[in-house]
Amino acid sequence: MRILVISDIHANLTAFQAVIQDAGKVDAIWCLGDVVGYGPDPNECVSLLSSLPGLTCLVGNHDAAALGEIDLAAFNRDASLSSQWTQTTLTSENLAFLRGLPEKLVNEQVTLAHGSPRNPVWEYLLDTITAASNFEFFSTPLCFVGHTHLPVAYIMDEKTHYVDWRLMRHLKPFTFEGRTIINPGSVGQPRDRDPRAAYAIFYPEKNLWEPHRVEYDIPSVQQRILNAGLPQRHALRLADGW
Ligand code: ZN
């Protein structure tokens, strides 16, 4: 079984389409939230995502903001501006899709959350101390998260319970050993200085994670961001992947 694991599409249709094409045939798609926000294509991304067979999708903080469920004061100025634009741009049908998304899902093997198992919508796992304190908030062997836009694994040593981390820049397949929290990186706004769209393929029977990157037409997305009157910073950062 091949499961496509994606997160943080951020209304970047070109990156999203490149990922779908590059991933090829999959049995299921797990999307870890932030379908919208920052980017110029919120309706196109929600429509494409919701049409995909075998989809499981969680709500992210930017999706909640687009639904008016959180105070935009929690965002910086540029994120707040793009959130207001997204709110007024999304169709009622696409808003209804986002409104129906759960915060956390658990199956036998994996817990899914946007930010962290402790605080699914908001908490950022940016260091081993924060990650280590989250292991008691899920009981499955694995936990998949997004939110930081960094393809990182936090691995707990079974004997010592020491948590180590690994930035998945090498793109080599990774077999899970011990309990692990892992992030596929961001489709639509990578922040590890690699501008290519990030995603992963998970093979549940093999306990295997394959990190992937794919190039896409960044200038076309930058142009649509500027044409929509969205903050220039969100266009500029796509080229450098930060
Ligand atoms: Zn995000």
Side-chain angles (χ1 to χ4, degrees), residues 188-233:
Q189 200 187 87
R191 289 187 193 153
D192 59 346
R193 298 274 169 189
D194 180 342
R196 296 175 298 171
Y199 69 96
I201 302 286
F202 174 51
Y203 297 85
E205 294 91 354
K206 297 186 210 164
N207 219 16
L208 186 76
W209 178 271
E210 245 178 33
H212 288 270
R213 298 306 276 255
V214 58
E215 284 183 20
Y216 70 96
D217 181 2
I218 292 173
S220 72
V221 184
Q222 292 176 311
Q223 195 57 55
R224 289 201 301 281
I225 288 177
L226 299 176
N227 291 351
L230 288 161
Q232 190 187 26
R233 196 170 84 100

Side-chain angles (χ1 to χ4, degrees), residues 11 28 33 37 66 75 81 89 100 105 114 120-121 135 150 166 176 198 205 222-223 235:
F75 281 173
L81 283 173
T89 302
L105 285 170
H114 178 61
V121 179
F135 276 82
L150 301 171
R166 216 175 288 177
F176 292 112
E205 294 91 354
Q222 292 176 311
Q223 195 57 55

Side-chain angles (χ1 to χ4, degrees), residues 10-162:
H10 280 296
N12 182 338
L13 181 68
T14 313
F16 186 23
Q17 287 172 326
V19 164
I20 298 288
Q21 196 182 0
D22 196 58
K25 194 174 161 4
V26 293
D27 301 292
I29 298 171
W30 293 355
C31 174
L32 307 172
D34 277 5
V35 182
V36 301
Y38 297 128
D41 318 308
N43 283 310
E44 293 80 357
C45 286
V46 174
S47 298
L48 173 57
L49 183 71
S50 58
S51 75
L52 298 172
L55 176 73
T56 293
C57 185
L58 302 175
V59 67
N61 55 316
H62 282 264
D63 306 317
L67 292 167
E69 288 174 0
I70 59 169
D71 186 355
L72 290 180
F75 281 173
N76 65 44
R77 187 174 169 273
D78 284 349
S80 169
L81 283 173
S82 84
S83 205
Q84 286 168 40
W85 179 86
T86 303
Q87 274 183 23
T88 54
T89 302
L90 278 167
T91 64
S92 54
E93 190 188 351
N94 288 332
L95 283 166
F97 171 82
L98 295 177
R99 200 169 289 122
L101 300 177
E103 287 192 358
K104 190 153 109 171
L105 285 170
V106 182
N107 62 41
E108 265 177 37
Q109 202 172 358
V110 190
T111 298
L112 306 174
H114 178 61
S116 78
R118 174 167 55 195
N119 184 346
V121 179
W122 276 104
E123 187 176 30
Y124 289 92
L125 297 184
L126 286 165
D127 58 75
T128 50
I129 295 172
T130 315
S133 63
N134 262 279
F135 276 82
E136 61 183 285
F137 291 88
F138 68 103
S139 53
T140 50
L142 305 175
C143 176
F144 297 170
V145 297
H147 199 34
T148 63
H149 300 203
L150 301 171
V152 173
Y154 294 101
I155 306 146
M156 178 175 266
D157 184 284
E158 298 202 2
K159 288 193 191 106
T160 62
H161 288 190
Y162 178 80

